[in-house]
Amino acid sequence: MSVSAVARTHGIVTGMLFRWRVQFDVAQRKRAKLASVTLPDDIPATLALQRFVQPPDGMMAVDLPDGRRMFAPEGCDPDVVRARIDSGGVSP
């Protein structure tokens, strides 16, 4: 089974897998070794996988109290970003 087929089966955007391949310098000609990952029932897979996504240039990751992560411009005060989200001013 191809990496793309596994990604589709599990609802993962294939483009993200290929971005990770470039980001982590995994050569395209090497055969991918897939591993099963078991997560506790109380942790959604999207929250676990978001740790692998790096912020775009000029942005930083801000972890939210509920476990989500969002990106904000570099140099922002994370506490101010969280307060703005709590007030409903920004949607994560």
Side-chain angles (χ1 to χ4, degrees):
M1 182 178 277
S2 71
V3 172
S4 296
V6 172
R8 282 191 300 274
T9 300
H10 295 285
I12 299 171
V13 177
T14 55
M16 185 174 290
L17 292 175
F18 296 114
R19 178 178 168 193
W20 289 339
R21 184 184 69 206
V22 171
Q23 182 177 343
F24 297 116
D25 197 30
V26 177
Q28 188 172 359
R29 62 187 174 277
K30 291 181 185 175
R31 181 136 178 97
K33 292 183 181 180
L34 303 178
S36 296
V37 176
T38 304
L39 299 172
D41 290 337
D42 59 341
I43 299 177
T46 53
L47 292 180
L49 292 174
Q50 73 182 358
R51 300 289 180 232
F52 293 107
V53 178
Q54 298 299 311
D57 290 338
M59 303 292 276
M60 65 181 204
V62 177
D63 292 321
L64 304 177
D66 62 3
R68 294 178 297 169
R69 174 180 276 189
M70 68 168 292
F71 299 132
E74 282 182 347
C76 287
D77 182 347
D79 293 328
V80 172
V81 172
R82 289 183 197 103
R84 180 110 187 245
I85 291 170
D86 288 342
S87 70
V90 175
S91 165

